[in-house]
Structure formats: C-alpha cells, structure tokens
Amino acid sequence: MKRFPGKTLVSAAALLALSTLPSFAADKIVLRSSDTHAADYPTVKAVEYMSEVLSKETNGRLSIKVFPAAQLGEEKDTIEQTQFGVLDMDRVNLVPLNNIIPLTQIPSLPFLFSSVDQARRVLDGPIGDEILDSFADKGLIGLAFYDSGARSFYNTVRPIKTLEDMKGLKIRVQQSDLMVGMIKALGANPTPMPFGEVYGALQTGAIDGAENNWPSYYSTRHFEVAKYYSLSEHLMTPEVLMMSKKTWDKMSKDDQKLIRAAAKKSAQKMHELWEAQEKVAHDAVVKGGAQVNTLDKEPFIKAMSSVYDQYVTSPQMKDMIARIRATK
Ligand code: GTR
C-alpha cells in the first residue's frame, strides 16, 4: 500500500475526466468522488463497495467513480470543489471541515471519546446524524462516518513519553485552527500542512513529526523517516463521506434514499476493512523499524483540556459534549 509522498499533481487525465464526463448522462448517473488515500486504502474500498451496492440495486443506472491518491487535490481543495458542485462526492477526515462546519469540531476534540467503540456508538446514532445534518448549510450533504481508529504522535527526534518531550517539536497538523490550538496546548509548535507534503517535510526537517493512525502512518511510509511512534491516542476523529448539495438537489427523492442507505451500508463494510488494515499496518511498521512506546495519558489530557474552553463556545456544542460523555 503506497500513497506517493510529495506534492500531489492533479493528473491531466483526472482533469479531463472532470471537465468532459457529464455526471448526468441520459439515464446513467456516475458520481465522481475524491479520496486522498491510495487505491487500496479502506476508505477508497468502502466507497467502491457503496458503488457496487448502488449499481446492483439500480441495474447499473447509479454508480460512483472514485479518484484516489489526491488526484483531484488535497482535502481542503476537494471540499471546496464539492461545495461548488465540481465534484459530486468527497471522502475526507472531519478535521479539515472544522473551520467551515462548527459541529465537526466536537468529534475532533482531544480525548473526548473513551474508546473507539464508544465513538462508533455516538457517531452511528442521533448525535452523529445531528452533526451530518449540519453540513447542509455549507452546500454539503453528510452521508456517513467511516472509522479512523485513534491518532498518535510520531517524530524523527525522540520517543514521546512525557509532556516535556513535546516541548519545542515542530508538529504537522491537518488544516484546522482547533488542531493548531491542540498542539500549542502541549508546548509544541504546530505546522498546518496538506497530507501529501508531510513525507517531504519530515525528510528535510521542515517538521519533526506529525500524528496519525496506524494505517496512514504505514500507507504514507512516514514510518521510514519518523520512527518514534508514541501511543498518545489523543484523537478518534472519524472520516466522513459527503455529497455536493448541488448534485444532491438534482437527484430524485428515491435516488437520494438509495444513496443514504448505500452510504450507511458502506460504513458497516468499513468497520471490517478497517480492523483488518489496522492489524496489517501495525505489523508492517513494527517490522519496518518503527519504535513504539506507550505513555501516561493523564498529563496530556490535562494539558489539552484548555482547548475545550477555547473552542467549545456555543450551548449546542456544550450540550452535545455532555451527551457524548453520558454515552456508554
Ligand atoms: C488520515 C485521513 C485522511 C487525512 C490524513 C491527514 O488519517 O484518513 O483523510 O485527513 O489523515 O492527516 O491529513
């Protein structure tokens, strides 16, 4: 599994596909969807599974074509393309939506969920739906959350065992103010940067480290340059699959229903794909020389609690956090 490091170029073929492929030909609808990950990453496979489901249910009338490996751009750009209706669908992490859709900040808060299972229960239930419903104001239709496990810190300098070890490290974060605040709260220096630029930045020393889950640490080959992986598990932010409201509004009510149902089915499929890939990735990075350590999370939880005061501003957000904490 490889996602080629370095800045991603939008391929000419992909651009041509965007400019010439009408998504609504006479009676066949091929929805174009973007993903930053390589073709064999679970998120890509889950959307392809959704396409199979749709295609089967409509005798080939409705399907999805996924453009993987950031062919159509990095997440911040593809989100905009989806809002404008240039892209029909997009699979991104929730964090790059933080600055646009306030409620997406909630599942992006450090140490909010007590376990991956609790996160799934919250996101697959009414709280998850409330967050997805809030996308519509911004020209997007939230369809389903996908697993993303837990994110931990990795770097080129030293194992992170205590808060002191974070001091002064330059850490890449996804493009979100909340992530910048989170790293500052730990006494480190945040550098927001697109995913595809991280490998090069680790290599040149422009950054010392980043944070991600096992499958991304592996698929990007970041483990080859940043070998200290420290199990902070500070974030359990999910992935999300969404559609352009412009595309959505052109579809019949029946097709909208089919799409929602197929998206939920793909989220179930993703559970399976994810668990298998987490194991594969863990074993591969350890074999590849990554040095993994556990740490006492308490001081990190305490230090990061200040971001709640800073970013949880509305009564709706406060209430949602209370409901999540009450979910077993
Ligand atoms: C991955 C996620 C990607 C992207 C990436 C990042 O875990 O699946 O969508 O957001 O993290 O750190 O940019």
Side-chain angles (χ1 to χ4, degrees):
M1 164 159 324
K2 260 199 182 113
R3 181 191 191 281
F4 291 102
K7 210 170 164 52
T8 316
L9 292 175
V10 176
S11 79
L15 272 184
L16 197 71
L18 275 188
S19 59
T20 59
L21 247 190
S23 48
F24 289 81
D27 48 1
K28 245 186 168 180
I29 300 175
V30 181
L31 300 162
R32 297 149 310 177
S33 189
S34 172
D35 200 303
T36 192
H37 286 298
D40 54 356
Y41 198 86
T43 51
V44 176
K45 288 194 192 157
V47 180
E48 285 174 350
Y49 174 80
M50 175 176 167
S51 176
E52 280 167 33
V53 170
L54 278 177
S55 183
K56 217 172 178 178
E57 285 173 356
T58 61
N59 287 321
R61 186 179 54 80
L62 263 182
S63 65
I64 305 166
K65 169 148 181 56
V66 185
F67 294 83
Q71 281 174 48
L72 302 182
E74 297 284 357
E75 293 190 337
K76 205 162 166 272
D77 306 319
T78 60
I79 290 168
E80 274 177 22
Q81 290 171 24
T82 312
Q83 286 179 302
F84 291 140
V86 177
L87 257 172
D88 300 311
M89 291 173 69
D90 203 6
R91 194 296 308 162
V92 291
N93 188 257
L94 214 55
V95 167
L97 289 162
N98 285 172
N99 291 1
I100 311 172
I101 305 174
L103 286 185
T104 64
Q105 293 178 98
I106 302 274
S108 314
L109 285 162
F111 297 113
L112 173 68
F113 297 112
S114 55
S115 68
V116 168
D117 284 343
Q118 189 221 13
R120 273 184 186 170
R121 278 194 291 278
V122 167
L123 295 166
D124 289 345
I127 297 177
D129 287 341
E130 203 175 317
I131 298 171
L132 291 175
D133 288 347
S134 76
F135 284 37
D137 286 350
K138 302 292 170 181
L140 298 165
I141 301 294
L143 294 177
F145 292 112
Y146 281 171
D147 290 295
S148 196
R151 295 171 79 100
S152 289
F153 290 112
Y154 53 90
N155 78 95
T156 58
V157 184
R158 56 181 170 249
I160 308 292
K161 289 180 180 157
T162 65
L163 257 189
E164 203 48 41
D165 294 324
M166 290 297 297
K167 295 266 165 342
L169 287 184
K170 276 178 281 170
I171 303 289
R172 175 268 173 173
V173 287
Q174 293 157 291
Q175 289 156 293
S176 142
D177 295 342
L178 170 60
M179 293 302 116
V180 169
M182 182 185 80
I183 298 298
K184 282 191 184 156
L186 295 174
N189 302 323
T191 308
M193 182 186 283
F195 194 39
E197 291 175 22
V198 180
Y199 187 95
L202 286 168
Q203 250 182 341
T204 59
I207 54 171
D208 300 311
E211 39 87 62
N212 225 313
N213 52 42
W214 292 111
S216 286
Y217 181 49
Y218 171 48
S219 65
T220 51
R221 319 301 288 181
H222 291 173
F223 71 96
E224 292 173 353
V225 268
K227 68 174 180 185
Y228 299 110
Y229 191 86
S230 307
L231 287 166
S232 50
E233 298 180 324
H234 53 281
L235 287 176
M236 295 183 189
T237 320
E239 316 287 349
V240 68
L241 180 65
M242 57 195 191
M243 184 176 270
S244 172
K245 192 164 181 302
K246 288 205 171 12
T247 306
W248 184 256
D249 290 343
K250 283 190 245 163
M251 308 197 81
S252 69
K253 289 272 169 289
D254 284 346
D255 281 355
Q256 291 179 349
K257 253 198 210 147
L258 283 175
I259 285 172
R260 278 207 190 277
K264 296 283 183 204
K265 274 189 194 158
S266 72
Q268 290 304 317
K269 177 77 178 173
M270 178 73 185
H271 290 336
E272 252 169 64
L273 295 168
W274 184 254
E275 270 150 32
Q277 190 57 26
E278 268 193 325
K279 190 170 170 358
V280 168
H282 168 273
D283 294 353
V285 299
V286 168
K287 204 166 157 224
Q291 295 193 17
V292 182
N293 69 278
T294 54
L295 50 80
D296 174 14
K297 291 181 189 169
E298 274 314 312
F300 289 78
I301 296 175
K302 238 186 176 164
M304 284 178 168
S305 66
S306 63
V307 302
Y308 283 72
D309 305 331
Q310 211 182 334
Y311 292 92
V312 181
T313 43
S314 70
Q316 187 189 12
M317 288 174 90
K318 286 186 182 146
D319 170 68
M320 192 176 271
I321 289 176
R323 281 185 287 146
I324 291 175
R325 292 206 161 124
T327 306
K328 288 282 160 280

